[in-house]
DNA sequence: CTGAAAGCGCTAACAA
DNA sequence: TTGTTAGCGCTTTCAG
């Protein structure tokens, strides 16, 4: 049972393959009537284009993906980009072409880069909308011209983007709470250190954390505005004033000053600290027991998945999920060395382990 | 800067494209001398075959993967197969063909199925060696005839298989130990319930668990031989005799009888239980707090990864890692609903979350 | 608006 | 042993 091609459709419709091509691709130079007739036949026969043949014919990859993500902060967006690249490297020999237009940092120059990509001609666009409001018109325009937009890491929920690949902030906060609750005596005092409550992601994490902590435990919230010095000072002061604090949840990637404050107060290993994400400088704090666990947002996996969703949609017509929530990983001493972020410092035997992508 | 093709090589070598094809593919009907000359040129020019053209020409997918995995136990091998299928579905439209020859259960009839696959003509083979000793000669033969063999879930370390995709048993055991240690008062008594210490995987998990528990805590080991009744009776008896047991690690997927025993003794939520893997019937025990956490081996991700490694190697020549250790997931109440195993019971809003693959 | 025909890079069947 | 040639299924250009 052979698959059907343009030739067969042409015969059935009593036209030439050229006309079928015009109908299938919405090209001009064909009456609406014949187009509908051909489309109907193609539909009925379950026509599936042969991608290999198409690639060969057009002389370029049959699917082109544009990518616009920030270069900084390296800790976080580095792995995100690596994930995207890893996935596209596999795919490109199979006929997928990727175009990069990185921005310097989150939110800078996004719109311009994005427009460049659209003008270069792409079938889908992967991007981190740092300034969702500003980007929404561009996103909507892209979607209207048939370019599927997939947000990654941060979302632009007001736009008409096709999909968003993110870790679920509520789950992160709730996990931190569950780990602390189970670990500390009931009614222990805990605190959460966050960046800015104005940032959606930070607010949701903190909120979920508070909800997850048993009602008897008081929760102090420290807003450090992503500033190193401020974070250190505030946490140091907090730990001095409130000697009964037993647990700490750092909901932002900016955990180093917090850890320094904990150590400076001589509380390393005495109070349970849960951090966010993972980078090599954190390794030492795991070893010394300063960090009990980290809730890892898996930027690498996010990159891989975004790329896969895009290609899978274009090639196979798989519907894009409105949003795709990743499971955060829980990093502890026992599994630390299996994370790619620790590859450099890892022992040689475990260094070969290279778990990446999803689930 | 256009990529070079058989045509160009033919010209440079002063031969015809047909001859180049013969040289490139080790076909017969060509002198060793001209073959070497052509190969040298191809190498020097960095020749990369156009997969699309090849697929079009041969009329079938240019890469064929054979898969031989068990149907039972559904709980575990179901997701494994789904992972393999999910990945191949994406790839097949890009020119990857997958052949299935499932066995009824782990170890049954593997060799026969495998030989069938090899005879059908494949480029790589994905299988779960239930009986590694018996399968080793077949694996070696496959590798010798140029078929890359990738073990998944279980390994055949004595064979010459190219790669093995597994969760790291030591990490599973150590994680369980770390979670229990952090959670229980020092010197608490704990026990591990396992299948058979003769099984490599169970032994390694138990051993790692014991090592991870602080030296002051006594560790009792219960061997239940994967038998439901035996597991229930032994655990029930243990909990009766030793009222000071505070933590339990179930290192096998056979956790239901253990949980029943815990509940029967009225200890649900009183002692901390850590289980292995995940299936829908466990959901209730999470809700009631009987299970504190589960160390999940992610069969779905294993399937996806095995398939990706295979295709990536054949298509892009990416070297296969001797072994690929997956990070187990830690399942807790907070993230339970994000697991695909819980999709049926999950609330509609979270049901769309579909985190899968790797890292 | 539509049809005819020429490739895209590779393989395979047939000639030499 | 080697060269020649006819496609694979699709797009695209050029005629009609």
């Amino acid at each position: 049972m052979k698959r059907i091609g343009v030739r067969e459709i042409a015969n059935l419709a009593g036209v030439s393959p050229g006309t079928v091509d015009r109908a299938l691709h919405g090209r001009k130079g064909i009456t609406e009537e014949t187009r509908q007739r051909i489309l109907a036949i193609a539909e009925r026969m379950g026509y599936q284009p042969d991608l290999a043949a198409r690639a060969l014919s057009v002389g370029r990859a049959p699917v082109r993906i544009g990518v616009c993500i920030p270069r900084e902060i390296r800790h976080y967006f580095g792995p995100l980009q690596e994930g995207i690249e890893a996935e596209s490297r596999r795919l490109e020999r199979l006929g997928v072409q990727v175009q990069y237009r990185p921005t310097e940092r989150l939110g800078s120059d996004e719109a311009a880069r994005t427009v460049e990509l659209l003008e270069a001609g792409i079938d889908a666009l992967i991007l981190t909308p740092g300034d969702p409001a500003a980007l929404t018109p561009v996103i909507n325009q892209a979607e209207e011209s048939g370019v599927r937009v997939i947000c990654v890491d941060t979302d632009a929920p007001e736009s008409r983007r096709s999909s968003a690949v993110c870790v679920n902030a509520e789950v992160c906060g709730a996990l931190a709470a569950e780990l602390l609750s189970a670990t500390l005596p009931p009614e222990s005092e805990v605190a959460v250190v966050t960046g800015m409550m104005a940032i959606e992601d930070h607010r949701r994490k903190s909120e979920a954390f508070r909800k997850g902590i048993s009602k008897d435990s008081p929760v102090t919230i420290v807003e450090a505005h992503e500033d190193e010095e401020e974070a250190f000072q505030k946490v140091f002061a907090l730990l001095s004033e409130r000697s009964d604090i037993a647990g700490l949840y750092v909901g932002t990637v900016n955990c180093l000053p917090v850890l320094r404050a904990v150590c400076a107060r001589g509380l390393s290993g005495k109070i349970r600290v849960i951090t966010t994400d993972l980078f090599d400088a954190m390794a030492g704090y795991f070893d010394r027991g300063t960090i009990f666990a980290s809730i890892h947002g898996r930027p690498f996996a996010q990159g891989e998945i975004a790329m896969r969703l895009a290609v899978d949609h274009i090639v196979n017509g798989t519907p894009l999920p409105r949003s795709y929530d990743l499971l955060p990983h829980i990093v502890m001493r026992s599994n630390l060395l299996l994370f790619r972020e620790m590859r450099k410092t890892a022992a040689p035997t475990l260094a070969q382990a290279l778990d990446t992508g999803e689930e």
Side-chain angles (χ1 to χ4, degrees), chain A:
Chain A
M1 127 136 187
K2 205 177 160 333
R3 250 172 48 179
I4 195 169
V6 282
R7 202 63 162 272
E8 286 80 351
I9 298 185
N11 288 340
L12 289 177
V15 298
S16 75
T19 303
V20 173
D21 184 72
R22 283 182 270 263
L24 255 22
H25 292 84
R27 293 188 229 288
K28 56 186 178 179
I30 183 176
T31 52
E32 192 50 31
E33 190 211 322
T34 43
R35 155 166 302 139
Q36 290 310 334
R37 190 159 47 92
I38 293 174
L39 253 28
I41 296 180
E43 170 76 11
R44 185 157 45 78
M45 305 300 290
Y47 168 73
Q48 302 280 68
D50 180 323
L51 269 96
R54 176 178 298 171
L56 192 55
S57 181
V58 299
R60 62 158 168 74
V63 17
R64 290 158 305 166
I65 315 274
V67 176
C68 175
I69 57 172
R71 287 215 181 79
E72 306 291 343
I73 314 142
R74 266 263 173 284
H75 276 343
Y76 190 81
F77 292 111
L80 178 68
Q81 175 171 357
E82 286 167 32
I84 291 177
E85 282 173 355
E87 188 61 22
S88 39
R89 221 171 302 125
R90 300 187 188 105
L91 262 23
E92 67 189 4
R93 295 288 302 278
L94 294 172
V96 174
Q97 216 166 64
V98 183
Q99 303 227 17
Y100 290 93
R101 285 287 186 289
T103 66
E104 219 32 67
R105 56 200 66 255
L106 190 59
S108 74
D109 231 11
E110 299 171 327
R113 293 288 91 76
T114 304
V115 170
E116 283 176 34
L117 283 169
L118 291 173
E119 281 167 357
I122 51 176
D123 304 299
L125 173 62
I126 294 174
L127 82 160
T128 51
D131 184 353
L135 216 49
T136 291
V138 188
I139 293 179
N140 290 346
Q141 183 203 327
E143 286 283 357
E144 262 158 46
S145 65
V147 177
R148 297 283 82 101
V149 178
I150 298 181
C151 293
V152 61
D153 183 56
T154 61
D155 195 3
E158 306 293 306
S159 73
R160 286 204 275 285
R161 93 283 186 287
S162 294
S163 190
V165 177
C166 306
V167 286
N168 187 307
E170 274 77 24
V171 171
C172 290
L175 270 177
E178 190 171 359
L179 281 167
L180 279 189
S181 297
T183 265
L184 299 174
E187 308 191 27
S188 300
E189 278 202 30
V190 296
V192 28
V193 183
T194 188
M196 283 169 275
M197 290 298 273
I199 294 183
E200 174 98 349
D201 182 66
H202 292 185
R203 201 183 41 66
R204 286 168 58 201
K205 279 183 190 166
S206 307
E207 205 42 57
F209 178 78
R210 196 214 300 267
K211 279 217 191 80
I213 288 288
S214 85
K215 283 133 221 86
D216 307 322
S217 291
V219 178
T220 309
I221 294 196
V222 177
E223 215 175 337
H225 306 99
E226 303 297 6
D227 183 84
E228 300 239 343
E229 190 54 25
E230 183 178 354
F232 179 88
Q233 295 299 351
K234 283 194 170 172
V235 173
F236 190 84
L238 177 78
L239 293 175
S240 311
E241 293 160 21
R242 308 271 290 282
S243 57
D244 38 1
I245 288 216
L248 218 52
Y249 169 45
V250 187
T252 153
V253 71
N254 180 28
C255 65
L256 292 182
V258 178
L259 296 167
R260 264 186 254 118
V262 169
C263 292
R265 291 292 293 120
L267 291 171
S268 172
K270 310 277 190 216
I271 72 176
R272 287 238 184 275
V273 181
I274 296 189
T275 56
T276 293
D277 291 329
L278 188 64
F279 47 93
D280 48 8
M282 290 165 71
Y285 291 101
F286 273 100
D287 290 342
R288 276 171 264 145
T290 315
I291 302 178
F292 169 60
S294 192
I295 312 294
H296 188 218
R298 301 164 69 205
F300 187 90
Q302 291 189 41
E304 279 194 324
I305 293 173
M307 182 57 75
R308 293 166 61 141
L309 285 181
V311 173
D312 200 19
H313 173 74
I314 293 173
V315 172
N316 301 331
T318 310
L320 290 169
R322 240 328 259 186
S323 75
Y324 187 113
D325 284 332
L326 269 89
L327 276 160
H329 261 310
I330 299 173
V331 189
M332 297 181 68
R333 237 198 301 211
S334 307
N335 60 2
L336 181 63
L337 291 187
L338 282 187
F339 284 86
R340 55 191 335 278
E341 286 82 358
M342 296 297 123
R343 214 61 39 89
K344 294 148 204 155
T345 42
T349 45
L350 270 175
Q352 338 168 343
L354 14 70
D355 201 359
T356 57
E358 311 147 61
E359 169 157 345

